[in-house]
Each structure stands twice: as C-alpha cells, then as structure tokens.
C-alpha cells in the first residue's frame, strides 16, 4: 500500500522528510520507482507543498481566523 499517512506527521514545515536509504523499492501511482516508501512520500509531500496543497498549508489557519499582535 502506497499510503503516506504514516509519514505525514514527520514532514517538516520546511519541506523536508528525513528518510533512511534502505533499498526497498516501491512504485507510486504514476508508476515511477522509488528507493523506498519514505523517499516516495517525501517527493509526494514536496510536490504537494509546491502546488500549495501540502501539509504546511493545511496546518495554517484561514486568514479570517489568524490574530496579529
């Protein structure tokens, strides 16, 4: 299963996911092969963040709910 939910909480707002380099090849939904599941998810999260739909964006409050002091 190529669900990345187990890594989502480890994804840093800076756009990084720390992964080991173990060789356990997996393919993503497009068929691209990755060295392991963590590295596949790191690329997925990075692409989401670049499109503006990543974890960092999702964790931000809507503008109407932010307070400035």
């Amino acid at each position: 299963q190529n669900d990345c939910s187990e890594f989502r909480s480890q994804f840093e707002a800076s756009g990084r996911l720390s992964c080991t380099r173990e060789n356990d090849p997996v393919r993503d939904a497009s068929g691209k092969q990755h060295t392991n599941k963590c590295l596949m998810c790191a690329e997925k999260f990075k692409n989401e963040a670049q499109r503006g739909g990543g974890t960092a964006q999702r964790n931000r409050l809507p503008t109407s709910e932010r307070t400035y002091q």
Side-chain angles (χ1 to χ4, degrees), residues 5-38:
S5 60
E6 67 200 80
F7 297 105
R8 183 120 1 227
S9 65
Q10 299 170 33
F11 184 67
E12 300 170 6
S14 64
R16 292 185 44 119
L17 177 63
S18 296
C19 298
T20 61
R21 290 289 182 174
E22 72 214 35
N23 189 14
D24 187 14
V26 295
R27 292 190 186 274
D28 62 20
S30 70
K32 181 178 178 183
Q33 185 165 325
H34 301 269
T35 305
N36 61 47
K37 186 174 179 179
C38 182

Side-chain angles (χ1 to χ4, degrees), residues 33-65:
Q33 185 165 325
H34 301 269
T35 305
N36 61 47
K37 186 174 179 179
C38 182
L39 291 171
M40 177 189 71
C41 293
E43 184 172 318
K44 177 181 177 178
F45 296 156
K46 180 180 174 184
N47 290 338
E48 286 177 357
Q50 288 174 347
R51 288 192 310 265
T55 303
Q57 288 291 326
R58 201 169 310 140
N59 290 340
R60 291 182 64 182
L61 290 173
T63 305
S64 60
E65 294 181 31

